[in-house]
Amino acid sequence: MGKKRRHLGEILYKAGLVKKQALIEAIKTGKSSNKRLGQVLLDLKLIDEDTLSKALAKQFGLKYVNLDQVEIPSNATAIMPEDLIKRHNVLPLSEANGRLKLIIGDPMDLDMMDSVRLRLNKELDCHLASPSKIRSFIENSLEQEVDTEEDDRLRHSIDATAAELAEVGSELAAEAQRALDAADDDEGPIIRLVNLIIDTAYHMRASDIHIEPMADRVRIRYRVDGVCMEKDNIPKNMQAPLVTRMKILSGIDIAEKRLPQDGRIKRNIAGSDIDFRVSSLPGNHGPSIVLRILRPDAVNIGIESLGFEADNYEIFQRIIKRPNGIFLVTGPTGSGKTTTLYAALQELNRPDKKIITAEDPVEYNFAGMNQCQVKEEIGLSFDKILRAMLRQAPNIILVGEIRDSEVADIAIQAALTGHLVFSTLHTNDACGAITRLIDMGVKPFLVASSIQAIMAQRLVRVICKKCRTVDENPDPHHLKLLGIEPEELKKRPVYKGAGCSACSNTGYKGRLGIFEMIELNAELRELAFKRAPTTELRKCARASGMRTLTTDGIIKVFKGTTTAEEVSRITQAEGVVE
C-alpha cells in the first residue's frame, strides 16, 4: 500500500509558514468559493508563490527547482516544440532514453502531462517551479531569442522585397495582377510583401494593421498596445496590386471601389491558426484597409491577469457567480470590454451551465458555449436572437452590446426571470450606464431592480520588465493631473521604461486594465428610481466605496506597473480624471 500523501495545510503549518487559525479560515474560504487551498493562501497573501511551490513539491514528492539558479538549455525548442511550451507553461530540462525532464508549475494538471506524453511519445520526470517564474522565463528569455531572430529575418526579407519592388517599377501593377490570378505562384513580390506585413504585425504583438494610401506613398502602421507605430512605406505605384491582394485574400469583391467592405483572412502563423478581420474604406487617395488580428490567446488570459486589485478581484468574482441580474461593462471601443466578459464566461463555463451569446461579430470561438452571430441583412438582430435564446433555457446570457431600448428591455426581463446577463455599454464611467439606460427609454424601476453591478474600464500600457527603472524626474504636469503631490515621491518612487529591444524602445510591453466598479446598493437603487443625475449617482457610489478609474491607475503607478503619463493620457482623453 502506497504512502498516504500529506495535506498541503499540514505541510505549511508544521513548517511554521501559516498559523493555525489563518489556515482554518483559508480552508473554509476554499470550500465556499470552490478554490484550491494554495490559491486561497496566495489570494490572502499568507504565502508567496515560491513558498507554495516548495510545499507542493514536498506534498507530491517532486524536486523543487529555482529557475534563478538553473540553466535552461539553449536548444529548449529543439527538445520540445515552442507552441507546447507556451500553451502548457512548462520548460524542458533534458531528454535521454525516451524520458523527458520537465519543469512544471502545477502537479495536479494531469491533462497537461497526458498531452505532452502523447505529443512527444516520452515518459516524464517532472520537477516543480513557480508558475509565474516559468511564464516570466518563457516571455523574457525564450520568446525574446525567437522574436529577435524572427524580427531580423522579417526585416531583411521586407527590405529585400522593397528593393525588388522598386526595381520592377511602373510595370508592376499588370504583372502583379497576373501573379495574383495564378494560384500556384507563391513567389511573386506582392504576395511576399503581403505575407511579410502580416507576419511582422503578428511578431510585434500588434492588434491591428493599417494600410493607408497617401498622396505619394502607402503608409503601413501597426497598432501595438493601443498605440499606432509607423514602420514601413510602400511606393505609390505598388498600391493597386497591394490592395487587390488584400481583397482577394479576404474574399472581398475587387471590382467594388465605391462602398465599404468587410472580409476575413485565416492564416497559420507559428503553428497557430490566426483570424484577421478585414475592413476596406474608400478614401481620397484609395481604399484604406485595416486588419484586426484576432489571436486565440488574447482572450484566454484568465480573470487574475486582467489587472484587478485584490478588492476589485473579490467583488468581480462574487458578482459573476450570482444566479441572476445584469452585469454591465462600460468603456469606449478598444478598452478591453469583450476580453473581460469572455474571461468571466470562461470562469463560468462548466458542464452544468448553459451559456448562450449574441455577438456582432463572433470574434472568438469557445467550446461549451452556444455563440450566435448577428446578421442584420437577413433580419437576425440582437432582439430576435435574445427572444429566441430565452426559449433555450440558458443559465447565462451574453449580449454583445445594448444598443437600443428594445434590446435593453429584453435583457432586463431576462435578468428578472432568473438569468445572469452580461453586456456592454458605451459610457464614460460606471454611473453613466444607469442614466444611459433610462435615456434609452427603459423604466427607472426596471433599471434599479435588475442591475447587480456596473464596471467601467480602460487599458493602460505596462512598463517593460526588461528595462524598468526608477523615474528620477517624472513630468510634473502628469503628476498634477493625477493629483500626486511631489512629497509622495519621496516615500514611494515611480517608474518608467528606459526602452530596449524587447519593447521596441517604447518602454512599454503589454497592457492591463484600470477599473471602476460599483455594486448597486439600496441607496443607489433609490437614486436610479428617482432618475437622479450622473453626478449625484457618482457621489453616492464614491461614498459607498467605489474607487475611480484614476485612483485605480494611481495605485498601479506606485506599484511600478505603469506610468503617471500613461494613466493621465488615458483618463484625460476620456474626461474621467477626478
Side-chain angles (χ1 to χ4, degrees), residues 447-495:
V447 173
S449 57
S450 63
I451 294 177
Q452 295 286 352
I454 307 166
M455 184 174 77
Q457 70 175 71
R458 304 289 186 277
L459 294 176
V460 293
R461 290 183 291 173
V462 175
I463 298 171
C464 174
K465 293 176 184 174
K466 286 279 217 177
C467 60
R468 193 181 82 153
T469 182
V470 174
D471 191 350
E472 301 290 354
N473 297 298
D475 189 330
H477 172 67
H478 296 298
L479 296 177
K480 186 177 179 182
L481 284 173
L482 297 182
I484 298 174
E485 297 296 333
E487 290 74 27
E488 290 184 68
L489 302 182
K490 295 175 184 176
K491 302 174 188 175
R492 299 184 290 174
V494 294
Y495 295 83

Side-chain angles (χ1 to χ4, degrees), residues 75-82 84-85 88 90-92 100 102 116 120:
N75 65 335
T77 51
I79 298 174
M80 187 174 185
E82 185 186 346
L84 213 56
I85 292 174
H88 295 303
V90 295
L91 286 168
L100 173 68
L102 188 68
V116 173
L120 302 181

Side-chain angles (χ1 to χ4, degrees), residues 255-269:
E256 178 57 71
K257 294 178 171 59
R258 302 164 300 164
L259 299 173
Q261 296 170 285
D262 295 301
R264 284 182 95 102
I265 297 173
K266 192 158 193 163
R267 182 176 172 79
N268 189 283
I269 303 176

